[in-house]
Amino acid sequence: MDSNTLQIIFSGLGTGSIYALIAVGFNVIFKSTGALNFVQGEWVMMGGILAAFCFNDINMPVWQACLIAGVAVALIGGLTERFLVRPLVNQTPFALTLVTVGIALLSKSLVMLSLGKNPVGYPGLSTTTSTHILGASVATQTLWILGITLTLMALTHVFFSYTRWGCAMRAAAANPRAAALVGIRHSRVVFSAFVLAAAMGGLAGTIITPLTLMSYDAGAMLGFKGFSAAMLGGLGSLFGAMAGGLILGLLESLVSGFVTSQFKDALAFLVLLLVLVLRPQGLLGKPEVVKL
Amino acid sequence: MKPAFLTRLGARRQSHLLILWILVIVWPLITPNAYWVSMGSAFFINLLLIASLNLLVGLTGLTSLAHAAFWGLGAYTSGMLAVHAGVTPWLGTLGAMGISALFSIVIGWPTLRLSGHYLAMATLGFNAIFSVLLTGLVSWTGGPNGLIGIPAYTLGGLDVSSPTAIFVAYWLVTGLILLSLSFLGNSRAGRALRVIHSSDTAAACMGIPVLRYKLGVFVLANTIAALAGALYAHQNQFVSPDVFSFSTSILLLVMVAIGGFGRYWGPFFGALIFTALPELTRSLHDSELLIFGIAMIVVVGFMPAGIAGGLANLKSRLSLRRPSA
C-alpha cells in the first residue's frame, strides 16, 4: 500500500469517527423517544463554534476550550429537553421529530445572530500538525479524533452494559411501561438521553473543527451524514453506529481520493437510499421495519 | 354512495374558495407597484407547493422531505428545455410535470413501502443528492451560478411577461388546482387516503390498494410541485440551486405544520406566512429562521391543529356558546 492510499484511509477514518459519534447520539435519542432528532447536527456545529469562541475570544488553551464547549453543549441538550420537549402536550414520535426540526432552526439562527456567520477554526490539540506513519503524512488531529472516539465509544459501551443508570435506560428503551413499573422514570431517561447525545455531538464538533472549520449552517449536513451512518449500521445499535460511521467515512474519502470529489456530498445519501431500499434494518440491526 | 353531509361540506368549501378567489383578483388593482404584484404571484407558487405537500403529509401521512427537490426538478427541467433546446415554455411545463411524475414513480416505488421516519429520511436523501447534482452538472444546470436566460411565457403574439398578466395567469391555474384538491378531499379516493393515514393495515383490510394509492398521491403532489417549479422559473427567468435545498423542504414542512396538518385552509395561512415573513423581517436582519423555529415548536407542541385548526375550534366554540346566551 503506498503512502497516498494510507493517507486517504486515515482521513476517511477521521471523518468516519465523527459520523460514528453523531450516529451514537441519534441512536440514543431514537431508542428512548422513538423520534428522529434533527438537532443532533446543530449540537455538533455548536460544539465547534463554542470552542472557537473560547479559544479566540477568551484565550483559553485548546483542550480547555474543547472540554468547556462539550460540557456547554451537553447542558444545552439537557435544557432543551427540560424546557422544550418535556412540556409538550403531544408526545408522539412524529410530533417530537417535528419539534426537533423547530429546535434545530432555532439553534441555528441563535448561533448565527449571536456569534456571526463567518466560518471559525482553531489549531488542533497538539502543536505539531502532522506525523509520519509508514511513510504517510497524517494530520495529528486525525489521530486525536480516532483516540477520543474510541475512548468515548468504550465509555458508552461500559455505561450501557455495566452501570445501573445505563441498564435503566436500556430497559426504558425496550419497554417504557414495564420499566416504569419497576421504578424507572421515563422523563429522567429521556433527559439523560438528550444530555448524552448532546455531549457526543458537541465533542465531535470540537475535535473536527481544527480540520474543517465550522460555520453556523454546517450542522444539518453533518447531522444527516451521521444519520446515514446510523442507518447503515442499523438504527439503535452502538456497534452498528461505529461500523456505519467508519464505513461511510472511508467510502467518502476513497471515492473523492480515487474517483471524483465533485459529488462527495451525494455519496452518503446514495448509501442511505440503497440501505433503506435493500436492507432497512442496516448491516447489524434486527429487522423491525414494517413493509407493506 | 357519498353521505349527504360530505356533499354539503364540499359545496360550502367550494363556494368559500370561489368567493376568496374573486376577492384575491383585485390585488393588482390595490397594490402600489409591480413588485407587490409579483409578490402575489410568488404567493400562488408557495400556495401550490404547500397545498400539495399538505396532501402528502397532512392527508395521507406520508412525510416527504423532497418537496423542494421536485419543485426544483420542475423549474430546472422547464428552464433547461427552453435554454438548451429552445422548447416553448408551455411544452416545457408539461415536460417538467412528466419528468417529475416519472421520478416520483422511480423514487416512490421502493421508498413508499417504508414507514414513517424511514420515508422521511429516504426523501431527504434524494433531495440532498439532487442539490449536489444541480451544482455539479455545470454544463447543463449552470452550476452554483444558476441557470440564466429562461424565457417568459408567451400566448400567441401576446406578451404574458408583465407582472399583472403573470398574476392573472397564475391566479387562474392555482384556483383551478385548489378547486380540484377540494373535490379530491371529499371523494372516494380522498377518504381512502385518510384511512391510510390512520392505519395502513385497516386500509388494506377495507380493500384499499395501499401502495397504489400512496404512489398515486405521491405522483400527484410532486407533479403539482413541478408545475409550481415551472411557473417559478418562467416568472423569475432565472433559477439558482440553493433555493431547492433540503432546508427549503424542511421549511415547507414547517409551513404545512403551522397552517395545520390535513386542514384544507391550512396551506393558505402557511403560504401567506412563507411569502410575507421574509418581507416583514427584512428590517430585523436574518431573524426569519428564528421566528420559523419558534412557530414550529409552539404550533406542534401546543396547537397541533395549526392555525386553521385553531380558528375552526374557536368558531365552533363561539357557535356553541351563542344559543345559551
Side-chain angles (χ1 to χ4, degrees):
Chain A
M1 201 186 297
D2 62 294
S3 61
N4 187 31
T5 315
L6 203 62
Q7 220 159 302
I8 288 174
I9 288 179
F10 264 104
S11 96
L13 288 176
T15 34
S17 305
I18 299 298
Y19 297 158
L21 285 177
I22 303 172
V24 170
F26 253 123
N27 280 344
V28 171
I29 289 187
F30 178 76
K31 277 284 203 181
S32 62
T33 62
L36 295 183
N37 177 25
F38 276 76
V39 200
Q40 192 66 41
E42 308 303 329
W43 285 334
V44 180
M45 175 274 289
M46 281 183 192
I49 291 211
L50 285 179
F53 177 75
C54 289
F55 176 80
N56 294 325
D57 297 78
I58 317 183
N59 296 318
M60 285 184 189
V62 176
W63 65 269
Q64 205 177 337
C66 291
L67 214 58
I68 287 196
V71 171
V73 175
L75 199 69
I76 291 172
L79 292 175
T80 304
E81 195 280 334
R82 186 64 193 80
F83 292 106
L84 293 176
V85 174
R86 200 179 298 180
L88 294 182
V89 191
N90 186 356
Q91 284 276 4
T92 59
F94 180 63
L96 278 183
T97 304
L98 290 177
V99 167
T100 64
V101 170
I103 300 173
L105 292 176
L106 189 68
S107 332
K108 191 201 268 188
S109 60
L110 281 179
V111 167
M112 180 185 76
L113 292 172
S114 58
L115 296 172
K117 284 183 172 180
N118 296 327
V120 288
Y122 45 89
L125 286 163
S126 317
T127 42
T128 47
T129 48
S130 62
T131 36
H132 290 274
I133 299 173
L134 300 171
S137 160
V138 179
T140 323
Q141 184 68 15
T142 305
L143 299 179
W144 276 106
I145 291 177
L146 286 173
I148 290 174
T149 305
L150 283 177
T151 316
L152 283 177
M153 288 291 175
L155 284 178
T156 316
H157 177 68
V158 169
F159 174 72
F160 278 114
S161 307
Y162 300 108
T163 66
R164 210 178 146 77
W165 200 301
C167 289
M169 283 180 73
R170 279 197 301 149
N175 188 336
R177 203 167 285 179
L181 281 176
V182 296
I184 299 168
R185 267 200 226 170
H186 195 249
S187 59
R188 278 197 194 162
V189 168
V190 177
F191 182 78
S192 332
F194 269 76
V195 172
L196 195 65
M200 286 282 195
L203 284 175
T206 62
I207 53 180
I208 190 69
T209 304
L211 291 178
T212 59
L213 300 185
M214 189 63 75
S215 64
Y216 79 99
D217 56 355
M221 196 48 122
L222 282 168
F224 295 142
K225 284 189 181 169
F227 179 81
S228 304
M231 279 305 303
L232 178 62
L235 210 52
S237 136
L238 183 65
F239 290 106
M242 187 78 200
L246 290 180
I247 294 174
L248 201 62
L250 272 179
L251 257 180
E252 262 192 17
S253 74
L254 286 176
V255 168
S256 55
F258 291 114
V259 191
T260 165
S261 64
Q262 198 181 6
F263 304 109
K264 181 180 152 238
D265 279 341
L267 190 73
F269 297 101
L270 199 63
V271 170
L272 172 69
L273 278 182
L274 287 178
V275 169
L276 282 170
V277 171
L278 301 174
R279 197 178 156 80
Q281 71 271 34
L283 295 176
L284 301 177
K286 294 182 199 72
E288 54 185 340
V289 178
V290 187
K291 275 205 169 196
L292 289 179
Chain B
M1 185 63 203
K2 190 187 279 189
F5 78 92
L6 275 184
T7 320
R8 247 190 347 261
L9 183 74
R12 208 172 64 195
R13 181 171 290 168
Q14 281 129 25
S15 60
H16 284 173
L17 178 68
L18 209 65
I19 295 168
L20 179 72
W21 229 235
I22 291 171
L23 289 177
V24 165
I25 193 68
V26 301
W27 178 255
L29 301 176
I30 57 169
T31 47
N33 55 39
Y35 178 73
W36 283 89
V37 178
S38 46
M39 285 280 298
S41 311
F43 167 76
F44 291 140
I45 290 169
N46 290 335
L47 183 55
L48 283 179
L49 283 174
I50 295 168
S52 57
L53 186 60
N54 189 30
L55 187 67
L56 273 182
V57 187
L59 196 70
T60 326
L62 298 172
T63 316
S64 166
L65 286 175
H67 219 58
F70 284 102
W71 182 31
L73 191 64
Y76 268 91
T77 305
S78 192
M80 286 192 304
L81 280 174
V83 171
H84 298 311
V87 177
T88 63
W90 297 105
L91 271 180
T93 306
L94 286 181
M97 291 163 77
I99 291 281
S100 174
L102 196 71
F103 266 82
S104 306
I105 294 172
V106 173
I107 305 289
W109 187 255
T111 54
L112 286 173
R113 297 156 199 268
L114 304 169
S115 62
H117 294 329
Y118 296 92
L119 176 68
M121 295 320 280
T123 45
L124 188 113
F126 169 67
N127 201 333
I129 294 173
F130 179 76
S131 293
V132 172
L133 290 181
L134 280 191
T135 41
L137 301 170
V138 179
S139 55
W140 287 10
T141 61
N145 296 330
L147 187 68
I148 51 171
I150 302 171
Y153 286 109
T154 49
L155 188 64
L158 222 66
D159 186 25
V160 207
S161 62
S162 82
T164 313
I166 289 179
F167 182 90
V168 174
Y170 290 10
W171 170 82
L172 191 67
V173 172
T174 310
L176 286 176
I177 285 177
L178 287 172
L179 190 66
S180 326
L181 288 183
S182 80
F183 283 116
L184 177 70
N186 278 330
S187 70
R188 187 187 164 85
R191 279 173 283 148
L193 295 177
R194 274 176 219 278
V195 179
I196 293 175
H197 190 180
S198 332
S199 158
D200 283 349
T201 317
C205 290
M206 292 162 83
I208 297 167
V210 176
L211 185 60
R212 205 185 304 161
Y213 266 100
K214 281 186 176 178
L215 198 60
V217 76
F218 194 61
V219 169
L220 177 65
N222 291 334
T223 311
I224 296 176
L227 170 67
L231 297 181
Y232 174 86
H234 294 295
Q235 185 199 357
N236 294 326
Q237 305 184 12
F238 164 73
V239 280
S240 149
D242 47 337
V243 177
F244 309 111
S245 67
F246 57 68
S247 329
T248 310
S249 287
I250 291 175
L251 280 185
L252 287 172
L253 187 69
V254 172
M255 290 307 128
V256 175
I258 290 176
F261 281 115
R263 302 277 171 166
Y264 181 75
W265 298 106
F268 290 80
F269 297 104
L272 202 60
I273 295 172
F274 197 49
T275 319
L277 200 63
E279 298 297 317
L280 295 177
T281 54
R282 190 168 286 170
S283 48
L284 304 109
H285 238 39
D286 299 322
S287 56
E288 67 185 82
L289 270 190
L290 187 74
I291 298 176
F292 285 155
I294 293 174
M296 185 71 171
I297 298 169
V298 169
V299 166
V300 176
F302 306 100
M303 208 170 124
I307 296 178
L311 287 179
N313 282 346
L314 196 70
K315 200 177 135 201
S316 62
R317 209 179 293 171
L318 287 179
S319 61
L320 275 180
R321 199 172 291 167
R322 206 172 297 141
S324 61

